Amino acid sequence: MESSRLFFNPSASHGNMLFLGNGDSVFGGRSVMGMEETSKRRPFFSSPEELFDEEYYGEQFPEKKRRLTSEQVLLLEKSFEADNKLEPERKTQLAKKLGLQPRQVAVWFQNRRARWKNKQLEMDYDLLKSSYDSLLSKYESVAKENEKLKAEVVSLNEKLKAEDMSGKPVSDEKTAPVAVDMVQIPALPFNTKVEDRLSSGSGGSAVVDEDSRQLVVDSVDSYFAADNYADAGCHLARGDRIQSEEDDGSDDGRSYFSDVFVAEPQNHEDGETLNWWVWS
DNA sequence: TTGTGTTTTATTGCCTCC
DNA sequence: GGAGGCAATAAAACACAA
């Protein structure tokens, strides 16, 4: 950012002044005191009275941006928890209550939504990663079991052949040899790194547990747990379909993995439904 | 104290909606 | 076209190790 850009001026509506990013402030043609000096004397906008005290700001005003007080942040957080979107009326009320400019309140909500969204993405990632890890280990054990069964089939077929050759009947019924690939399980591209698969967006497919027809979630701390949603001010029960950002074009902060829970059974060529689900 | 990484506040520019 | 939202970004403020 250029050093001469304008910062938001909380008292501009009163004093018609500008202050600059390089520390050179402009206020009625004169320079003002340094930030360090100012911050020792008072917190940033400690009360609405101070904010609108023209004389006060004529003497000293914030040259650089200040952090909000813990009380201000607390109230903003509470308000955000109630609703992360800010209607004009609420903005004005909050600004008045906190002794801030409405613009500052709006900016705070904007930034807070951005932080929240980032957190959500992290949580979504963790959830999918743990789901993927769990499914991978399941797949590996099923593949192992499959190999064992195949070996068993081969050995039984050999035994059958040997008994046929010796002319000795094995049983009353004539038993046909079993094709080994009848117990073939679908090969899934599990050799790719989970990070790659998760970051591929809509390009990749993933698997969910057939029994529950939803993501396999072993983690207790899952973001999708109803409690966590409630904490975040949202109301999405586990297993609910998550609203896509594309659905209405708005970001209501529910999730960024749209349609993840819409599971479709994936039929094999021979019509047999496999124990895997692929989401669209 | 200082260097460095992180968080917070604020701006800019673009996009969408009414 | 104006209002409001978001992503990207800058820069101040803060935290913390060395």
Side-chain angles (χ1 to χ4, degrees):
Chain A
M1 189 186 285
E2 328 81 85
S3 60
S4 63
R5 79 187 301 181
L6 297 179
F7 284 119
F8 167 67
N9 169 17
S11 62
S13 58
H14 301 280
N16 205 17
M17 62 145 196
L18 304 172
F19 57 103
L20 308 173
N22 59 7
D24 297 323
S25 300
V26 181
F27 181 73
R30 67 182 173 87
S31 153
V32 294
M33 74 170 78
M35 197 279 289
E36 293 78 11
E37 219 176 323
T38 321
S39 60
K40 269 181 208 160
R41 295 195 187 178
R42 62 174 182 84
F44 192 43
F45 299 149
S46 38
S47 75
E49 291 72 35
E50 278 178 6
L51 174 67
F52 295 108
D53 186 343
E54 196 142 9
E55 216 177 279
Y56 187 92
Y57 277 97
E59 286 295 314
Q60 47 180 307
F61 61 86
E63 183 177 317
K64 292 175 181 178
K65 59 185 168 192
R66 306 281 166 75
R67 296 221 165 174
L68 304 179
T69 66
S70 50
E71 290 80 16
Q72 285 170 325
V73 171
L74 201 72
L75 195 64
L76 285 165
E77 286 286 355
K78 269 187 182 171
S79 185
F80 182 84
E81 218 173 284
D83 188 358
N84 70 355
K85 283 276 165 70
L86 192 62
E87 330 71 73
E89 202 181 327
R90 194 156 66 105
K91 178 167 71 182
T92 315
Q93 281 177 352
L94 266 172
K96 222 171 182 180
K97 208 168 175 181
L98 294 165
L100 298 171
Q101 287 292 308
R103 171 77 183 144
Q104 279 181 292
V105 176
V107 164
W108 188 91
F109 266 72
Q110 191 66 64
N111 289 321
R112 186 66 182 79
R113 277 195 295 270
R115 285 198 294 274
W116 191 60
K117 192 173 179 177
N118 278 337
K119 203 97 193 162
Q120 295 222 29
L121 282 170
E122 270 175 38
M123 286 165 144
D124 280 350
Y125 173 85
D126 289 345
L127 172 83
L128 286 177
K129 190 177 183 305
S130 73
S131 164
Y132 174 84
D133 290 344
S134 149
L135 283 166
L136 178 59
S137 85
K138 261 189 188 173
Y139 173 82
E140 281 168 350
S141 74
V142 167
K144 216 181 253 176
E145 179 70 13
N146 183 45
E147 285 306 310
K148 224 170 85 182
L149 288 170
K150 272 202 282 190
E152 210 173 308
V153 167
V154 168
S155 118
L156 285 171
N157 278 339
E158 275 170 3
K159 220 183 255 180
L160 202 60
K161 227 187 270 175
E163 284 169 356
D164 268 352
M165 299 253 279
S166 67
K168 224 168 123 192
V170 198
S171 65
D172 295 340
E173 285 176 47
K174 186 76 185 169
T175 313
V178 177
V180 172
D181 46 358
M182 276 180 73
V183 287
Q184 200 87 33
I185 63 166
L188 293 172
F190 278 110
N191 55 337
T192 37
K193 273 169 59 182
V194 62
E195 287 80 6
D196 298 340
R197 293 170 58 80
L198 290 176
S199 63
S200 64
S202 58
S205 65
V207 284
V208 292
D209 189 357
E210 184 189 27
D211 292 333
S212 55
R213 296 201 175 193
Q214 65 182 48
L215 275 170
V216 177
V217 180
D218 292 332
S219 164
V220 183
D221 299 321
S222 161
Y223 160 68
F224 289 108
D227 286 350
N228 287 340
Y229 259 95
D231 286 345
C234 293
H235 313 285
L236 182 75
R238 189 190 291 266
D240 277 355
R241 188 186 184 282
I242 292 174
Q243 189 177 10
S244 158
E245 197 170 351
E246 282 89 47
D247 282 351
D248 58 3
S250 72
D251 163 27
D252 62 357
R254 291 307 190 269
S255 174
Y256 302 94
F257 289 94
S258 60
D259 297 334
V260 153
F261 290 84
V262 184
E264 298 286 348
Q266 199 73 351
N267 290 337
H268 207 238
E269 283 170 4
D270 57 10
E272 182 192 357
T273 302
L274 301 169
N275 282 346
W276 303 95
W277 295 76
V278 177
W279 67 56
S280 52

